[in-house]
Amino acid sequence: MLTEVVLPGQVEPEGLELRTRPLPEPGPGQALVAVEASGVSFAEQQMRRGKYYDQPPFPFVPGYDLVGTVVSTGPGVDQALRGRRFAALTKIGGWASHTLVDAGDLVAVPEGVDAAEAETVVVNGITAWQMLHRVAKVRPGMTVLVHGANGGVGTTLVQLARHSGIKVIGTASPRHHDAVHALGATPLDYRDPDLPARVRALAPGGVDAVFDHIGGDGIVDSFRLLARGGTLVSYGTAATRDVPGSSRAPVLKLLARLALWNLLPNGRRAHFFNLWAGRRRLAAFQGRIRADLGQVLELMAKGEFTALVAARIPLSDAAKAMRLAESGTVAGKVVLVADEDTRRSGEEDAR
């Protein structure tokens, strides 16, 4: 049997349901993975409110990404994958003791890298790496502004930027400033009414890139803080997370605003980062994921990247994990880890 966390509808975290069902058999091209760790990201916070842009209908199993061990494989999949640890980007389904994954989506985790630590950089590492190097194309010596520098994507962005010789200004609440500074960024209070002036004092000519997950009206300041030739990378609408109404309206409004700014003759660019863009060309998409996540995992394996695990909470206590992730009181990522007895039972059934 497998155990999974089900999101039955728009509920409070305590409304999450724990269910069991028989282990599925992997089909052609699939692998059955015993999940060791799955993260609690902003996407799940939006999903439980019905606010994620393209979430499936309720009920469903959340879990945007995972790290686990392959226990069985379907037709056409190399049996040598069994017993090896992999990471995977899933969008849904990760909050379970076991789940089926397309073998092409598996990314090898280097030996010696802890499962929960590796989990912190699956969706966060891919997002940060691609925004930094594929979208903004920031070069050594440049200066960037990272909003939410204490969060999962934020801490990853700061470290990857610093590793590439890029100066980082990071916004966070004051209680997280020491942690942001320890990562190599200059911290600023995101609630400071003079925040734009504080950024200008550190980067008089403007910053070369802004990474903004907040959206809302504050996105205007993010664009204005760019130097000529700079890039705004928007990758979320956190400002409207708790606003009732359509999940699509805030995104469509943001896209329209970014498109308008790109018409201005000031040399600045504005992009909305969509992690899933290009998946219609599946082989190329999977190749980029393997390459980019592979780079981040190698940095972790070499000790050049610090994984910030805010908490490790058993899968069976997913409500507690969701509450903690939504509290805004932690730095890094909240990770759901396998309940040992549940995972052991599933592995015995698989054998």
Side-chain angles (χ1 to χ4, degrees), residues 145-151 155 158 168-195 198-199 202 308 328-332:
L145 173 63
V146 175
H147 285 298
N150 63 297
T155 55
V158 171
V168 182
I169 303 167
T171 69
S173 63
R175 66 172 168 266
H176 296 307
H177 282 190
D178 287 346
V180 171
H181 185 268
L183 294 176
T186 301
L188 294 176
D189 187 351
Y190 76 97
R191 292 170 297 190
D192 189 336
D194 294 323
L195 179 61
R198 307 284 187 204
V199 175
L202 295 169
L308 293 184
T329 62
V330 296

Side-chain angles (χ1 to χ4, degrees), residues 256-323:
R257 180 174 264 168
L258 300 181
L260 178 62
W261 286 341
N262 281 326
L263 298 176
L264 300 177
N266 56 23
R268 300 168 182 159
R269 297 177 297 144
H271 293 271
F272 184 81
F273 177 76
N274 176 9
L275 179 60
W276 300 95
R279 191 168 172 83
R280 289 182 180 180
R281 298 179 60 192
L282 185 58
F285 175 85
Q286 291 172 329
R288 287 193 298 273
I289 296 297
R290 283 193 297 271
D292 298 343
L293 178 55
Q295 296 261 25
V296 182
L297 288 171
E298 282 300 323
L299 290 177
M300 182 177 287
K302 294 175 182 176
E304 298 176 16
F305 184 97
T306 302
L308 293 184
V309 180
R312 302 172 190 238
I313 297 176
L315 177 70
S316 58
D317 211 354
K320 177 182 177 181
M322 179 73 88
R323 281 288 184 202

Side-chain angles (χ1 to χ4, degrees), residues 7-53:
L7 182 58
Q10 295 184 38
V11 297
E12 293 300 306
E14 290 72 22
L16 292 168
E17 299 175 358
L18 204 63
R19 300 181 185 175
T20 60
R21 61 182 176 89
L23 280 174
E25 289 289 336
Q30 292 183 322
L32 179 65
V33 176
V35 181
E36 299 171 74
S38 183
V40 184
S41 65
F42 187 71
E44 286 92 14
Q45 298 174 37
Q46 290 180 302
M47 286 179 183
R48 82 164 184 84
R49 295 166 169 83
K51 297 285 288 184
Y52 190 77
Y53 185 80

Side-chain angles (χ1 to χ4, degrees), residues 113-124:
V113 175
D114 175 75
E117 293 183 356
E119 206 291 323
T120 67
V121 297
V122 183
V123 64
N124 293 342

Side-chain angles (χ1 to χ4, degrees), residues 65-347:
D65 55 4
L66 62 86
V67 171
T69 301
V70 172
V71 294
S72 62
T73 54
V77 179
D78 188 353
Q79 295 186 16
L81 270 58
R82 296 182 183 182
R84 294 172 55 192
R85 177 176 286 165
F86 292 91
L89 190 65
T90 54
K91 187 179 282 189
I92 60 170
W95 289 10
S97 63
H98 299 75
T99 192
L100 293 174
V101 178
D102 186 322
D105 290 328
L106 297 173
V107 180
V109 175
E111 290 286 338
V113 175
D114 175 75
E117 293 183 356
E119 206 291 323
T120 67
V121 297
V122 183
V123 64
N124 293 342
I126 297 166
T127 298
W129 183 277
Q130 293 189 348
M131 291 195 303
L132 193 67
H133 296 297
R134 292 187 182 272
V135 181
K137 300 179 181 178
V138 188
R139 301 184 301 278
M142 289 184 168
T143 300
V144 302
L145 173 63
V146 175
H147 285 298
N150 63 297
V153 175
T155 55
T156 307
L157 267 169
V158 171
Q159 292 189 77
L160 293 181
R162 294 297 298 132
H163 183 267
S164 297
I166 297 161
K167 179 181 177 182
V168 182
I169 303 167
T171 69
S173 63
R175 66 172 168 266
H176 296 307
H177 282 190
D178 287 346
V180 171
H181 185 268
L183 294 176
T186 301
L188 294 176
D189 187 351
Y190 76 97
R191 292 170 297 190
D192 189 336
D194 294 323
L195 179 61
R198 307 284 187 204
V199 175
R200 286 288 185 187
L202 295 169
V207 295
D208 297 292
V210 179
F211 300 95
D212 188 312
H213 70 296
I214 304 168
D217 292 337
I219 198 80
V220 177
D221 283 334
S222 290
F223 187 71
R224 289 174 176 169
L225 286 169
L226 290 174
R228 186 170 184 84
T231 304
L232 166 64
V233 185
S234 171
Y235 64 103
T237 54
T240 60
R241 186 190 70 177
D242 296 315
V243 177
S246 168
S247 62
R248 294 176 176 260
V251 177
L252 295 175
K253 180 180 178 180
L254 176 60
L255 292 175
R257 180 174 264 168
L258 300 181
L260 178 62
W261 286 341
N262 281 326
L263 298 176
L264 300 177
N266 56 23
R268 300 168 182 159
R269 297 177 297 144
H271 293 271
F272 184 81
F273 177 76
N274 176 9
L275 179 60
W276 300 95
R279 191 168 172 83
R280 289 182 180 180
R281 298 179 60 192
L282 185 58
F285 175 85
Q286 291 172 329
R288 287 193 298 273
I289 296 297
R290 283 193 297 271
D292 298 343
L293 178 55
Q295 296 261 25
V296 182
L297 288 171
E298 282 300 323
L299 290 177
M300 182 177 287
K302 294 175 182 176
E304 298 176 16
F305 184 97
T306 302
L308 293 184
V309 180
R312 302 172 190 238
I313 297 176
L315 177 70
S316 58
D317 211 354
K320 177 182 177 181
M322 179 73 88
R323 281 288 184 202
L324 182 61
E326 294 187 1
S327 71
T329 62
V330 296
K333 191 169 187 180
V334 176
V335 178
L336 287 169
V337 295
D339 293 84
E340 286 302 319
D341 54 344
T342 300
R343 182 174 63 179
R344 190 178 304 114
S345 174
E347 289 174 351

